[in-house]
Amino acid sequence: MTSIKSVEPSKWQEFLADFSERNRGRRARFEIFGRTGDFAEEDQEGHFQLVSVDGQTVTIDRTYEKRGREETMSDKLENVRGIAVQYDTDNSEDMIEFADARGNLTALHFESNVDGSS
């Protein structure tokens, strides 16, 4: 059974640094849930490298292969008000979720250590 745990804002920086170390190199893609029920899943999957926070702005870096070269994509999430982590059945981190001030949820979904799906 999976579980979701919120991260206290005062612990975001330390948690995200540790999270980055534990999950560097894992395949991941974004899923976006709008407050009105909209849903979008990213086509481009990348390999997670780093997540950091500066105030209420979260930056997520991932790498991907383009024409035989490794490229980096960097995404910024503005006005983040909440961070939560979903744990898989083996207690590995399956997804990290970022809630913004407008009620939207952006989730970075990782390849499962249990069954390989992402």
Side-chain angles (χ1 to χ4, degrees), residues 29-56:
R29 75 173 68 231
F30 281 110
E31 298 173 341
I32 301 166
F33 304 87
R35 65 181 173 89
T36 60
D38 300 341
F39 171 77
E41 184 175 29
E42 179 181 44
D43 290 332
Q44 176 70 45
E45 187 173 75
H47 289 88
F48 175 79
Q49 297 303 312
L50 177 70
V51 60
S52 60
V53 64
D54 182 10
Q56 293 177 327

Side-chain angles (χ1 to χ4, degrees), residues 86-101:
Q86 179 175 312
Y87 294 90
D88 209 339
T89 56
D90 68 345
N91 215 27
S92 64
E93 291 149 328
D94 184 51
M95 187 182 311
I96 187 165
E97 303 171 342
F98 304 94
D100 71 17

Side-chain angles (χ1 to χ4, degrees), residues 19-34:
F19 181 91
S20 294
E21 286 298 316
R22 287 190 299 275
N23 292 290
R24 187 166 285 122
R26 286 180 72 190
R27 288 187 346 197
R29 75 173 68 231
F30 281 110
E31 298 173 341
I32 301 166
F33 304 87

